[in-house]
Amino acid sequence: MVSPRDKEGKKELREMPLNKESRFRFRCHPGMACFTKCCHDVNIFLSPYDILRMKKRLGVSSEEFLEKYTLSLIPEASGLPVVLLKMREDQNKACPFVGSEGCSIYEDRPWPCRMYPLDQRETNGEFHFIAQSSFCLGMNEDREWMVKEYLADQGLDIYNEMQNLLGKISSHPRLSKEKIRNPKVQEMCRMALYDLDRFRRFVLESRFLQIFYVEKEVAQKIKSDDLELMKLAHRWLEFGLISGETLKMREDILRGKESSKSRDRL
Ligand code: SF4
Ligand code: SF4
């Protein structure tokens, strides 16, 4: 049992690796003196699936959501765009969704808010505390959890499933060797990952479905199913960025490519 009540070695506690079987204490409720303090002045990176859930919850398009609630950044290491939740520009830098009663989008809150006070390392999947018990008083409560129970309770399975799709692209060694430098490619990646409504128009209104072989059932579903569309977006990016086998070009398009290559050689 890891006890965040330990007075000694708080730093060590934050650095201590946890696995799915590790135990910890935590309970959060409106009676806490620290209630909603963790929803201020914080860096929250949003995953594509976080944005899907949040924009649906708010009843806005992905374009409106990105414009109103986020900042887009391009990390130097990969060139693959990331999106940050924009805090209010007041003194307290509050999250736009926090109120006196707590989180107004609680059922659709993003991954980092579900994980808190835990976090997970991208490198090896280990868990660790991101908060200190002197700040997050819920870590001093008596409710005991096994890490895996906590993940299930927070509804993280679908978030992790979708994050794994992105991880196949963002963690691929090819991306660290060949950073995305072309701003047009960066913008296409941003659209496919985070701006799902625009990506839908791109797929349905361009030659996308003539160029790529997309299963009939999938082509039908993506007209209204955001999750299916998001899966297709990841397949397209994996195909384009790291030459994955996730999509196939139609034979006639490939033949056209080959014959134009032959012509170019003449
Ligand atoms: S700081 Fe911890 S206990 Fe306090 S509101 Fe946030 S999560 Fe809950
Ligand atoms: S989304 Fe909700 S839980 Fe997360 S920081 Fe904002 S108000 Fe807090």
Side-chain angles (χ1 to χ4, degrees):
M1 173 83 180
V2 175
S3 172
R5 292 174 187 219
D6 291 349
K7 293 273 190 286
E8 299 164 18
K10 276 180 185 159
K11 189 158 177 271
E12 285 76 2
L13 183 71
R14 291 184 71 189
E15 286 170 5
M16 184 189 301
L18 308 174
N19 60 40
K20 286 195 174 176
E21 312 290 322
S22 305
R23 292 174 179 277
F24 67 103
R25 290 182 177 136
F26 176 68
R27 190 164 87 93
C28 176
H29 56 89
M32 315 287 307
C34 57
F35 189 58
T36 75
K37 270 192 184 170
C38 50
C39 301
H40 293 73
D41 198 10
V42 62
N43 286 333
I44 296 179
F45 286 95
L46 298 178
S47 71
Y49 185 67
D50 287 332
I51 293 180
L52 183 158
R53 292 279 294 257
M54 293 164 89
K55 66 126 186 155
K56 267 195 169 180
R57 167 72 180 227
L58 297 166
V60 298
S61 69
S62 52
E63 288 111 316
E64 283 172 272
F65 182 85
L66 290 169
E67 169 71 26
K68 192 164 177 193
Y69 298 111
T70 71
L71 297 169
S72 293
L73 307 170
I74 308 278
E76 178 57 30
S78 65
L80 190 66
V82 294
V83 167
L84 198 57
L85 181 61
K86 194 161 62 178
M87 298 289 120
R88 287 189 197 129
E89 286 172 4
D90 55 16
Q91 207 185 352
N92 295 327
K93 297 193 173 118
C95 170
F97 307 116
V98 72
S100 56
E101 309 216 323
C103 177
S104 61
I105 57 161
Y106 186 78
E107 292 80 5
D108 298 289
R109 67 202 183 285
W111 186 93
C113 305
R114 289 167 188 266
M115 286 293 288
Y116 197 85
L118 299 177
D119 197 8
Q120 189 173 20
R121 297 187 209 283
E122 267 184 42
T123 42
N124 57 10
E126 274 172 357
F127 301 91
H128 64 108
F129 288 106
I130 197 173
Q132 301 229 17
S133 55
S134 54
F135 175 83
C136 175
L137 303 178
M139 293 166 72
N140 301 318
E141 295 273 304
D142 281 336
R143 172 69 162 97
E144 289 185 11
W145 297 94
M146 207 181 264
V147 169
K148 65 182 178 189
E149 286 170 1
Y150 186 69
L151 302 182
D153 182 76
Q154 295 295 303
L156 280 156
D157 288 352
I158 177 69
Y159 284 80
N160 291 334
E161 188 189 319
M162 296 310 291
Q163 193 59 25
N164 288 342
L165 294 183
L166 179 58
K168 280 193 204 163
I169 303 167
S170 59
S171 309
H172 197 279
R174 184 157 175 185
L175 213 59
S176 50
K177 275 193 220 140
E178 297 170 32
K179 293 167 194 165
I180 307 169
R181 298 215 181 273
N182 184 330
K184 281 189 185 159
V185 177
Q186 289 172 342
E187 183 47 33
M188 293 300 258
C189 293
R190 181 179 176 276
M191 170 184 72
L193 291 174
Y194 305 109
D195 200 346
L196 215 47
D197 294 312
R198 190 150 73 90
F199 181 67
R200 176 176 281 118
R201 290 199 297 277
F202 169 72
V203 171
L204 299 179
E205 295 170 16
S206 73
R207 294 182 65 233
F208 189 103
L209 295 174
Q210 285 146 33
I211 294 173
F212 294 106
Y213 173 76
V214 176
E215 301 79 356
K216 261 189 189 166
E217 199 191 352
V218 174
Q220 189 57 34
K221 275 190 181 171
I222 58 168
K223 292 178 185 166
S224 55
D225 185 331
D226 277 356
L227 198 60
E228 204 62 53
L229 183 66
M230 181 170 280
K231 289 178 185 167
L232 179 65
H234 283 73
R235 285 170 66 188
W236 181 59
L237 287 183
E238 194 173 336
F239 170 85
L241 295 177
I242 56 178
S243 303
E245 297 288 310
T246 44
L247 268 185
K248 282 195 168 43
M249 287 176 111
R250 288 188 183 274
E251 290 294 322
D252 47 339
I253 299 286
L254 277 174
R255 276 199 300 276
K257 272 191 157 224
E258 283 310 312
S259 62
S260 65
K261 266 192 214 162
S262 322
R263 275 201 308 276
D264 292 346
R265 279 199 291 270
L266 291 175

